[in-house]
Amino acid sequence: MALNFTGDEGPDFQPLYAQVKGLILQRIIDGDWKPDEVLPSEFKLADQFGVSQGTVRKALNDLAAENVVIRRQGKGTLVAANNPLRELFHFIHMTDREGALQLPTSSEVLSCERRRASDDDLGRLKLRRGADVIRIERIRTLGEKTAITETIVLPARLFPGLEAGGGANVPHALYQHYQDAYAIAIHRVEEALRAVTAGPRDAELLGLTPGQPLLEIDRVAISLDGKPVEWRITRCDTQDTRYVSSLV
Amino acid sequence: MALNFTGDEGPDFQPLYAQVKGLILQRIIDGDWKPDEVLPSEFKLADQFGVSQGTVRKALNDLAAENVVIRRQGKGTLVAANNPLRELFHFIHMTDREGALQLPTSSEVLSCERRRASDDDLGRLKLRRGADVIRIERIRTLGEKTAITETIVLPARLFPGLEAGGGANVPHALYQHYQDAYAIAIHRVEEALRAVTAGPRDAELLGLTPGQPLLEIDRVAISLDGKPVEWRITRCDTQDTRYVSSLV
DNA sequence: GAGTGGTCTAGACCACAGA
DNA sequence: CTGTGGTCTAGACCACTCT
């Protein structure tokens, strides 16, 4: 066991429960336990790691607070999966005027191709110069209306073959696809918002007149191991919708 | 002690630690312990409530996770105060292009008056028909530039005298003022964003040409006891700034 | 040195899910 | 019925803050 017990505390000392948490997280990242699978019980993990059940419990509760696992009494501790429900709770922020969550209902891929990463791509996705990316353009509907244009940039190395067929393989629910087809779990997203004016292309795609205001959402999606794996720019008509953000 | 122990579990049964948490929260709301004051130690609270120290600990840790209190080893458990630092961490979302937090540096009150609440005011602040509100209009600077117009609506009953002198008493840091002058602690905010076009008045105040896009932030601030106490509409020029939102 | 919260352990009983 | 996580308790030792 590689755990630090009291006595050999180095400069990067971590409490036992944090070490246990890290080990469990690593095994989830490695795919030892896959999404929707049940982890061993607290007592079994405690035996494996040579710590008390209470210490494992704290580690698991921390991971649950970070939405890495889901704990259910009587059932066990599951690895969180990027299913539509999770997406709704964690990654959807658009609502209608009354505040009810609006999940995009469909999408149409306009283009999908592999190309050399631009400087912006390199910066956002922390790639090395010369890396390739897959770039997808699509439009999405919110409610009844085509209200969203999206440009999605992915490291080509992580998503081999995704660009095949010009986007014929690209489903609507991308995060679920990343998980199921590439074993990449989106853990959290960082978003930066601004107001922009619709250019001629946006206006045409969304049926607006150029110059109308759009909400631009610049989102980087971060995987379980903390690396940026998707950069997405969403432009959204907010005449009938809102972006909600409830913060403490 | 009004605590439910095992046996008299009604339909609204709550675990002990949740009951203790509620009692502590209520005493903070009542002002028994004021912002920046130290609560009694875990053992003293455990004695007062007739539970074990571990149960109090869980209650306090929960309150700390909700930013109601701050726990410091060796020092004690403090009631969270709306100081500039807290404001920066919890309520500021504007950054510059590089992502560094931009806190508004100054403000100028344009108008401040008491009036009958509009229908929108009633809905947002959950007031009864006929209630009065205080309505403040001001502009704020971000970095070097006047980039923000704000309309703030407050229930007049909660903030007596705030409108005196047409806003001469209205300082820049409002949440701190609510806390210090009116004992009202802003606990969290709910925000809804959309993109709008600058009207003639916005354009004039911010030095823009009408029609330019602005980010509109519609924010309701919620006090510790869960009631809406401020409604604020912020319009912001996002040419040089971004609104950040980091969500799990 | 005295007092605080932070960590770790051990054991008890309960509520829930599923065979 | 068995096994799971949820709650509650009790006690030990450590790290930090302040006097």
Side-chain angles (χ1 to χ4, degrees):
Chain A
M1 191 52 46
L3 300 183
N4 268 323
F5 290 95
T6 47
D8 58 350
E9 342 184 335
D12 51 355
F13 167 77
Q14 278 200 316
L16 255 189
Y17 73 86
Q19 299 176 47
V20 170
K21 182 178 157 188
L23 290 173
I24 294 173
L25 179 60
Q26 192 55 51
R27 294 191 58 176
I28 293 174
I29 292 171
D30 292 346
D32 288 0
W33 302 307
K34 300 198 193 323
D36 275 329
E37 272 184 22
V38 181
L39 269 61
S41 74
E42 294 178 349
F43 280 104
K44 283 177 190 154
L45 288 170
D47 278 353
Q48 281 186 32
F49 294 128
V51 302
S52 81
Q53 175 240 13
T55 300
V56 171
R57 164 154 300 193
K58 179 142 175 64
L60 289 176
N61 281 339
D62 274 19
L63 290 172
E66 293 166 16
N67 298 301
V68 175
V69 299
I70 297 165
R71 312 200 72 192
R72 277 210 249 282
Q73 185 173 105
K75 212 168 173 186
T77 302
L78 317 177
V79 180
N82 276 333
N83 51 36
L85 201 62
R86 177 178 159 89
E87 192 138 338
L88 192 62
F89 275 118
H90 295 303
F91 302 124
I92 304 264
H93 311 120
M94 300 306 302
T95 72
D96 60 22
R97 270 185 222 263
E98 281 69 43
L101 282 180
Q102 280 270 18
L103 65 170
T105 42
S106 66
S107 71
E108 181 189 338
V109 173
L110 303 177
S111 72
C112 176
E113 52 184 29
R114 186 181 172 124
R115 59 164 71 168
R116 190 60 51 91
S118 72
D119 284 354
D120 278 350
D121 298 342
L122 296 174
R124 288 325 185 89
L125 294 172
K126 301 218 174 83
L127 297 174
R128 284 175 215 270
R129 186 160 298 280
D132 272 9
V133 294
I134 297 166
R135 185 191 182 85
I136 303 169
E137 291 194 291
R138 64 176 186 176
I139 53 179
R140 309 179 84 181
T141 53
L142 260 187
E144 313 281 294
K145 237 176 88 180
T146 302
I148 291 174
T149 68
E150 270 183 341
T151 302
I152 297 163
V153 182
L154 304 164
R157 192 179 60 78
L158 294 181
F159 299 92
L162 182 67
E163 76 279 18
N169 301 333
V170 175
H172 172 58
L174 273 179
Y175 288 2
Q176 199 166 352
H177 187 60
Y178 299 161
Q179 170 187 284
D180 297 341
Y182 300 97
I184 292 176
I186 301 300
H187 179 227
R188 62 188 184 88
V189 297
E190 291 177 354
E191 300 188 326
L193 285 71
R194 55 196 276 250
V196 300
T197 44
R201 183 165 165 75
D202 293 322
E204 185 198 336
L205 290 171
L206 300 181
L208 303 172
T209 58
Q212 276 197 260
L214 295 178
L215 183 64
E216 182 183 276
I217 305 166
D218 180 312
R219 166 195 285 199
V220 175
I222 317 272
S223 66
L224 254 191
D225 53 356
K227 301 205 176 90
V229 292
E230 183 207 66
W231 177 32
R232 180 185 293 209
I233 291 184
T234 303
R235 284 206 176 85
C236 188
D237 177 10
T238 51
Q239 280 189 46
D240 299 316
T241 57
R242 305 284 182 273
Y243 176 99
V244 294
S245 152
S246 189
L247 300 140
V248 182
Chain B
M1 192 51 49
L3 301 183
N4 268 325
F5 291 95
T6 47
D8 58 350
E9 341 183 335
D12 51 353
F13 167 78
Q14 281 200 315
L16 256 188
Y17 73 85
Q19 299 176 46
V20 169
K21 182 179 158 187
L23 290 172
I24 294 173
L25 178 59
Q26 191 56 50
R27 293 191 59 176
I28 292 174
I29 291 171
D30 292 345
D32 289 1
W33 303 307
K34 299 198 194 323
D36 276 329
E37 273 184 22
V38 181
L39 268 60
S41 75
E42 293 179 352
F43 280 104
K44 282 177 191 155
L45 288 170
D47 279 352
Q48 283 186 32
F49 293 128
V51 300
S52 82
Q53 176 239 13
T55 300
V56 170
R57 164 156 300 193
K58 178 141 176 62
L60 289 175
N61 281 341
D62 273 18
L63 290 171
E66 294 166 15
N67 298 301
V68 175
V69 300
I70 298 164
R71 311 200 74 191
R72 280 210 246 282
Q73 185 173 97
K75 212 168 174 187
T77 302
L78 316 178
V79 180
N82 276 334
N83 50 36
L85 201 60
R86 176 179 159 89
E87 192 137 343
L88 193 61
F89 275 118
H90 295 301
F91 302 125
I92 304 265
H93 311 122
M94 301 306 303
T95 72
D96 60 21
R97 268 185 225 262
E98 280 70 42
L101 282 180
Q102 280 270 20
L103 66 172
T105 42
S106 67
S107 71
E108 181 188 339
V109 173
L110 304 178
S111 72
C112 175
E113 52 185 27
R114 185 180 172 124
R115 60 164 72 167
R116 188 62 50 91
S118 72
D119 284 353
D120 278 350
D121 298 343
L122 296 175
R124 287 328 184 86
L125 294 172
K126 300 217 176 86
L127 297 174
R128 284 176 215 268
R129 186 160 298 280
D132 272 10
V133 294
I134 297 165
R135 185 191 180 87
I136 302 169
E137 291 194 291
R138 66 177 186 174
I139 52 178
R140 309 180 82 179
T141 53
L142 261 188
E144 313 280 293
K145 237 176 86 180
T146 302
I148 291 175
T149 67
E150 268 182 343
T151 303
I152 297 163
V153 181
L154 304 164
R157 192 179 60 78
L158 294 181
F159 299 92
L162 182 67
E163 77 278 19
N169 302 332
V170 175
H172 173 59
L174 272 180
Y175 288 2
Q176 198 164 353
H177 188 58
Y178 299 160
Q179 170 188 283
D180 296 343
Y182 299 97
I184 292 175
I186 302 299
H187 178 227
R188 62 188 184 88
V189 296
E190 291 177 354
E191 300 188 328
L193 285 73
R194 56 196 275 250
V196 299
T197 45
R201 184 166 164 75
D202 292 322
E204 186 198 337
L205 290 171
L206 301 181
L208 304 172
T209 58
Q212 278 199 259
L214 295 179
L215 183 65
E216 182 183 276
I217 305 165
D218 179 312
R219 167 194 284 199
V220 175
I222 317 272
S223 66
L224 253 191
D225 51 358
K227 302 207 174 87
V229 293
E230 183 205 66
W231 177 32
R232 180 185 293 210
I233 291 184
T234 302
R235 283 205 176 85
C236 187
D237 178 10
T238 50
Q239 281 191 47
D240 299 316
T241 58
R242 302 286 183 271
Y243 174 101
V244 293
S245 152
S246 190
L247 298 141
V248 181

